[in-house]
Amino acid sequence: MTTHKLLLLPGDGIGVEISREVERVIETLHGLGGANSFEVEIDLVGGAAIDAHGVAVTEEAIAKASDADAIIFGAVGGPKWDNVPYEIRPEAGLLRLRKDFDLFANLRPAICYPALAEASSLKRELVEGLDILILRELTGGTYFGEPKEIVTQENGEKRAVDTTVYTTSEIERIVKVGCDLARKRSGKLHMAAKWNVMKSGVLWRDVTVATHQKHAPDVELELILADNCAMQLIRNPKQFDVIVTDNLFGDVLSDEAAMMTGSLGMLPSASLGAPDPKTGKSKALYEPVHGSAPDISGQGLANPIAMIASFAMALRYSCDMSSEADIIETAIAKVLDNGLRTADIMQSGLTKVGTEQMGKAIAAEIQSAMA
Ligand code: NAD
């Protein structure tokens, strides 16, 4: 029996509601027995932690996170905390976790379930069955480079500076992750950068080519300019499988890819750290892409699929439970095929359900698949 330690951080708003549905899925897996079990700790993060402890994440929660095989994160934030000081705002909890565990690799799959192809803004034939993965570098580049400032010049005009900085090792480690992921999927990797106008892009291109040749010559590598990548994603998204890119382009391209799938409520993500040299295991945090949705929170309306699919990613990448992850993903597809829809993905003639009903239906499909 292998026991996996999970830290569940529901957070705020709908984070709390959709986390309950992940707990339901965990209980379902438990109930079915098998060679794996879970030890689940639950703690506060975001606004809930600010209310209880005055900080967005406590040292105790960080210690639990450090001890866990995977951190399962809901969402943080909401109008209640809009005016707290910047340093203790709800998002500070998430940023602290990302920083402490050096979660540099952000995996954002964009999967278009056939049953939801109509909900996409692109034509059905372009997106039906789409399954791509944007791999975004998360801890470097434009969002962190120094100098980062707005200065008032002598003539009174303001001047803003952001700096895009990458080192060889930062690029190499994310490209290696990209190669590994591509190898486990269709064997095809795109790298998107702007080597035509940015020095950091030149380094991305050169390090990617060298890393690929050294570590994964069996993977098919294609370099693509980031602007062309944005265009090709709309023109013919299924030409891609894994796209690795920097922090800034990854932010934009992953949101673009996300919208092809219909709703924010469908999108899971994973953020992985470097493998521990002794155990080979990476620290990892799994979370839906969406936020705490204050406009619908507390009403049982939230779509729990992004959060449940994030848990499936945790099984795949942190618990070595790929077949259970497949079962969860198939259960989600089946429930959608059966016509169940939360409000965000509702189509006429189908059955509108709330958060709990959707979670229960997915749990029931998991149960019947594993029975
Ligand atoms: P949001 O993602 O919370 O919501 C955007 C829209 O999508 C809303 O209309 C919401 O109702 C809808 N939506 C989101 N998730 C849904 C789901 N699972 N089911 C159904 N509908 C869903 O983004 P926002 O409104 O810009 O931000 C709200 C709060 O969340 C803010 O405080 C923001 O800072 C925070 N936020 C947190 C995270 C995070 O925790 N990682 C990410 C983004 C935003």
Side-chain angles (χ1 to χ4, degrees), residues 107-126:
L107 284 64
R108 283 194 39 181
I111 297 169
C112 183
Y113 295 95
L116 290 186
E118 297 301 335
S120 170
S121 46
L122 297 190
K123 291 190 201 111
R124 171 179 277 277
E125 61 267 27
L126 288 182

Side-chain angles (χ1 to χ4, degrees), residues 305-322:
I305 291 180
M307 179 96 190
I308 294 173
S310 300
F311 173 65
M313 290 184 85
L315 296 187
R316 176 166 288 121
Y317 296 116
S318 290
C319 304
D320 217 2
M321 293 175 68
S322 287

Side-chain angles (χ1 to χ4, degrees), residues 211-254:
T211 308
H212 166 254
Q213 274 169 6
K214 191 167 163 202
H215 295 282
D218 54 310
V219 166
E220 185 190 335
L221 172 68
E222 211 171 301
L223 306 176
I224 185 164
L225 290 170
D227 50 340
N228 186 27
C229 186
M231 189 183 77
Q232 294 296 335
L233 272 171
I234 297 293
R235 199 181 70 85
N236 176 18
K238 287 192 220 165
Q239 69 184 287
F240 296 105
D241 183 27
V242 181
I243 302 172
V244 62
T245 188
D246 78 4
N247 201 345
L248 175 61
F249 295 135
D251 195 1
V252 178
L253 293 174
S254 58

Side-chain angles (χ1 to χ4, degrees), residues 1 20 27 36-37 44 51 66 83 90 93 154 157 203 205-206 237 277 283 321 327 364:
M1 171 77 80
R20 274 190 223 116
E27 279 157 24
N36 294 280
S37 73
L44 302 175
D51 287 350
S66 170
N83 297 319
E154 276 176 18
E157 196 178 25
L203 193 66
R205 180 193 61 192
D206 295 349
K283 273 272 157 267
M321 293 175 68
I327 287 170

Side-chain angles (χ1 to χ4, degrees), residues 161-207:
V161 182
D162 291 289
T163 309
T164 303
V165 185
Y166 274 108
T167 60
T168 306
S169 57
E170 281 175 312
I171 301 170
E172 199 176 57
R173 66 179 183 171
I174 189 86
V175 171
K176 273 192 199 166
V177 175
C179 290
D180 289 345
L181 290 169
R183 198 181 270 131
K184 284 185 194 154
R185 293 167 54 103
S186 76
K188 192 169 174 187
L189 176 70
H190 280 82
M191 190 286 288
K194 290 282 289 178
W195 59 85
N196 53 342
V197 286
M198 293 173 76
K199 287 292 177 193
S200 58
V202 172
L203 193 66
W204 265 83
R205 180 193 61 192
D206 295 349
V207 174

